[in-house]
Amino acid sequence: MPANSPTPIPTPPVKIHRGAPTAAPAKPRRKKKRPNPVICFLQGLARRLFFGTKTAFKCLLLVPILVFMVAFSYNVDRSGLFQGALAPRRIVDLMLEGYDVTNFEQMDERQVVQLYAQDVPEAPEAIGIGSSRVLQFNRQNTGVDSFFNMGVTGADVRDNMTSYYKMVSYGKTPKVLLWSLDPWVFYGSEAAFDSRADADLYNEFLTKVLNVPTDYEEPDKVELWRALADPAYFQGNVDYYVKNHGQATVTDDDGNTIEFNPVQGDPYNQTSTIKRSDGSVLYDIAFRSQNADQIRALAAEACMSFNSVHMEGFEELSQTQIQAFDSFIQYAKSQGTTVILVLSPWHPYLYEYLLTEPDKHKGFFQVENWVRQYAADNNIPLYGSYDPTCIEGLQETDFFDGLHCSGTGIERFFPGVPQALQDLANNTLPDPLAVHPRTSLETAPEEGSDTEENTAETAESDAETSTVQEG
């Protein structure tokens, strides 16, 4: 290049455009297809079922624990919400195992009877009901191996009827009901009722069974059953079980010792009264070993207080109680139970005293003749008599006191349940109307007037029976 030639001007740089390549012509845009609502619902349902099944499976793993807690709390039941109070349960458990039980005087006999009905595995062939005057009937003198005595001290008509009702309600209806009838069963006054009887249970029986209107209301048990699922109640039951399981000395919910234990040694040589495994009572050896003079002295003491035994003001039989008695007998028959009635005698000294003032014991003297007529009309076995002279061979020493006949006395008038059932089946029952209890003192006979006196006495008895029937 020549020296004087001008410097060439550089060529401007070519700008390169880096813009986006030219897009192809846009295709027509498709409309998005709307999902099928049915399919969406099914998919959602499937998802819920899947996750719900997983959750349920996890919960199922807890079910055995919950079932165990409920079952454990129900069976241990330290507060007695479902199984009954701990002390009566202890007694019943021992009796069902075949043990005689100590400390009879401290027992809640009515609770024991109800828990026996609840817990006995099978119905006994025969049961006895009544007051303490029935408590000497046992397996030996009834002739029934599975006999159980449900009598309670001071029993009134409500105790009698509800004891049988509890057996039926638990599906353990006995074949035979031995009822030792006390005269106050036919007395309608409040004086005839014992404060220890379960009035609510009796109203339940009247309402549900006999269709008699009462103020009974079905109890609300919802709150009660909620306790079974309460972890605190479960923990308390665990603590109680651990503390008492396998222990010779058992305590109640408050930690107090339950003083009911198996009888040790010969039951007939005990220094205190015991409850036998068949429900009968065996009095202490001193009480059972009294001589005639001692027994007569106790009978004399009972004379002045006789009416106070549920018969204060007992002037006549109550039609309401008569109807209740008949309805109960028909109810027992409808359940397939054979009823046997027993009239346990009163001590001769006591009965002789009552005859000296018949106007003060009108209701009492009406009962036996009415019962005899009822038994005859309804073909019901009836044994015994309130009047001790109507029972052949009965001695003063066949009593413990004025009110309670002993086992030896019972054997003088009661042939046993098997014989009674056989006589009923063969239509050879003793005629209830062949016995004429005294309702007043006999008039001193004149010489040569024995026949006239006997005739007059029979006429008086027949007139008394007729009067009672009309009443």
Side-chain angles (χ1 to χ4, degrees):
M1 175 180 298
N4 295 325
S5 61
T7 302
I9 300 172
T11 305
V14 178
K15 290 185 179 180
I16 300 175
H17 297 281
R18 300 184 180 275
T22 305
K27 292 182 179 179
R29 192 170 184 181
R30 286 186 182 181
K31 260 187 175 181
K32 192 171 181 181
K33 194 173 181 181
R34 300 184 72 182
N36 189 320
V38 176
I39 295 176
C40 290
F41 171 77
L42 292 175
Q43 289 175 338
L45 180 62
R47 283 194 298 270
R48 285 177 173 82
L49 287 174
F50 174 73
F51 289 110
T53 302
K54 288 179 66 176
T55 304
F57 179 75
K58 293 177 181 178
C59 291
L60 281 175
L61 297 177
L62 299 175
V63 168
I65 299 175
L66 294 174
V67 170
F68 171 76
M69 289 176 60
V70 169
F72 188 86
S73 290
Y74 180 81
N75 286 285
V76 176
D77 194 22
R78 63 182 291 184
S79 297
L81 301 177
F82 309 95
Q83 302 290 346
L86 292 169
R89 281 164 58 189
R90 163 79 169 167
I91 297 166
V92 171
D93 288 345
L94 291 173
M95 293 170 69
L96 292 177
E97 292 172 14
Y99 293 108
D100 300 332
V101 187
T102 62
N103 207 16
F104 168 74
E105 291 84 354
Q106 301 303 316
M107 291 183 185
D108 185 338
E109 298 173 74
R110 289 158 177 80
Q111 277 285 315
V112 169
V113 163
Q114 292 193 26
L115 290 182
Y116 172 85
Q118 171 186 285
D119 296 341
V120 64
E122 297 179 358
E125 181 179 345
I127 65 171
I129 59 174
S131 68
S132 57
R133 287 162 40 79
V134 77
L135 290 176
Q136 295 307 301
F137 283 86
N138 52 44
R139 290 171 184 158
Q140 286 71 41
N141 55 35
T142 61
V144 178
D145 290 338
S146 62
F147 172 80
F148 188 81
N149 197 318
M150 303 187 80
V152 297
T153 302
D156 61 17
V157 66
R158 300 173 298 181
D159 290 308
N160 295 329
M161 294 185 180
T162 55
S163 293
Y164 176 76
Y165 168 61
K166 291 298 286 187
M167 294 295 294
V168 175
S169 64
Y170 283 118
K172 301 163 187 175
T173 306
K175 295 180 180 178
V176 177
L177 176 64
L178 178 68
W179 190 355
S180 178
L181 268 178
D182 292 301
W184 53 83
V185 164
F186 298 96
Y187 186 25
S189 168
E190 285 294 323
F193 299 142
D194 194 287
S195 61
R196 294 166 292 185
D198 191 334
D200 290 335
L201 181 59
Y202 182 62
N203 286 338
E204 176 186 337
F205 169 70
L206 291 177
T207 301
K208 290 186 174 182
V209 177
L210 301 187
N211 297 316
V212 176
T214 69
D215 57 0
Y216 170 75
E217 294 183 3
E218 194 74 35
D220 183 8
K221 298 183 178 179
V222 174
E223 291 296 328
L224 185 66
W225 285 94
R226 284 179 181 172
L228 287 179
D230 186 351
Y233 192 56
F234 170 73
Q235 183 60 52
N237 283 312
V238 171
D239 295 341
Y240 178 81
Y241 180 81
V242 170
K243 180 180 179 181
N244 289 280
H245 182 62
Q247 300 298 316
T249 302
V250 182
T251 62
D252 61 18
D253 193 28
D254 297 322
N256 303 313
T257 301
I258 298 177
E259 298 290 352
F260 301 109
N261 298 296
V263 170
Q264 302 295 325
D266 184 358
Y268 289 92
N269 195 30
Q270 299 295 312
T271 57
S272 61
T273 301
I274 64 175
K275 184 82 166 174
R276 308 220 66 185
S277 61
D278 63 2
S280 63
V281 168
L282 185 62
Y283 293 113
D284 64 86
I285 189 170
F287 190 63
R288 288 185 286 111
S289 304
Q290 298 176 107
N291 59 36
D293 290 337
Q294 291 172 314
I295 295 170
R296 192 181 305 114
L298 293 177
E301 290 178 11
C303 291
M304 302 307 296
S305 59
F306 178 78
N307 275 351
S308 66
V309 186
H310 295 324
M311 290 182 287
E312 195 71 50
F314 190 12
E315 294 287 329
E316 60 181 358
L317 277 65
S318 163
Q319 288 300 317
T320 300
Q321 295 308 110
I322 286 175
Q323 181 59 48
F325 171 80
D326 178 64
S327 297
F328 178 77
I329 296 293
Q330 303 310 318
Y331 165 65
K333 287 183 176 181
S334 73
Q335 300 301 312
T337 299
T338 299
V339 179
I340 299 175
L341 299 178
V342 170
L343 301 178
S344 183
W346 306 83
H347 188 279
Y349 186 96
L350 172 61
Y351 199 88
E352 292 286 347
Y353 175 81
L354 298 178
L355 291 173
T356 65
E357 45 182 31
D359 289 344
K360 295 182 179 179
H361 313 287
K362 291 179 181 178
F364 167 76
F365 282 119
Q366 291 176 7
V367 171
E368 181 166 345
N369 283 324
W370 187 92
V371 171
R372 291 191 173 282
Q373 187 65 55
Y374 183 89
D377 293 342
N378 292 275
N379 196 35
I380 295 177
L382 174 65
Y383 298 94
S385 172
Y386 293 153
D387 185 351
T389 61
C390 294
I391 300 174
E392 186 177 355
L394 194 65
Q395 307 292 323
E396 285 189 86
T397 50
D398 290 323
F399 293 83
F400 296 120
D401 52 25
L403 283 68
H404 301 95
C405 183
S406 68
T408 59
I410 290 172
E411 292 171 359
R412 297 188 188 279
F413 67 84
F414 186 62
V417 169
Q419 183 64 53
L421 295 179
Q422 183 177 337
D423 289 344
L424 179 61
N426 297 336
N427 199 28
T428 56
L429 287 171
D431 181 8
L433 299 180
V435 178
H436 302 285
R438 296 169 295 165
T439 57
S440 62
L441 285 175
E442 298 178 4
T443 303
E446 296 181 4
E447 187 176 348
S449 63
D450 289 347
T451 302
E452 293 178 4
E453 179 192 350
N454 291 337
T455 302
E457 181 182 352
T458 302
E460 179 184 357
S461 178
D462 291 342
E464 182 83 12
T465 302
S466 176
T467 301
V468 172
Q469 289 172 341
E470 294 173 1

